[in-house]
Amino acid sequence: MYKIAVIGDKDSVLVFKILGVDVFITLDAQEARKTIDRIAKENYGIIFVTEQLAKDIPETIKRYNSEIIPAVILIPSNKGSLNIGLANIDKNVEKAIGSKIM
């Protein structure tokens, strides 16, 4: 069974701990890259990453978007959404069905 993780700043991700999700607090892009690469090898099926952090590591996000597992999903931080996650979903839906529906 795969595990679920969330990566981001403390204020944005700590609430996920209540839901039983493994929380990884990272403060900068380099630490985020290392954390994602490390936990991707540790049987995590889904890794949620805050958009604030993801904007600084686009190459890492892109690399994992081409993999089936783990699924890297971008979520808004407590500072709001940058609409990066929604744009990625839109691209993936268009790629899957061959048409833009959103």
Side-chain angles (χ1 to χ4, degrees), residues 1 3 9 12 19 28-30 36 47-48 53-54 57 63 74 77 80-81 83 88 93:
M1 188 156 136
K3 300 183 279 185
D9 64 279
S12 297
L19 302 172
D28 60 49
Q30 183 177 356
I36 291 171
I47 302 172
F48 293 102
L53 197 55
I57 57 168
R63 181 167 27 103
L74 307 184
S77 72
S81 178
N83 293 321
N88 282 347
V93 168

Side-chain angles (χ1 to χ4, degrees), residues 23-93:
V23 172
F24 298 89
I25 297 168
T26 59
L27 302 175
D28 60 49
Q30 183 177 356
E31 186 179 4
R33 276 188 212 96
K34 288 179 184 177
T35 301
I36 291 171
D37 290 340
R38 179 175 50 85
I39 67 174
K41 297 173 188 171
E42 295 178 2
N43 209 30
Y44 283 88
I46 300 172
I47 302 172
F48 293 102
V49 180
T50 61
E51 290 178 328
Q52 299 289 344
L53 197 55
K55 72 177 174 47
D56 297 330
I57 57 168
E59 68 288 339
T60 301
I61 301 301
K62 185 176 180 179
R63 181 167 27 103
Y64 284 104
N65 280 342
S66 65
E67 309 250 339
I68 295 173
I69 294 179
V72 174
I73 300 170
L74 307 184
I75 58 173
S77 72
N78 67 335
K79 296 174 183 153
S81 178
L82 300 175
N83 293 321
I84 300 170
L86 187 57
N88 282 347
I89 290 171
D90 193 31
K91 278 193 290 188
N92 288 335
V93 168

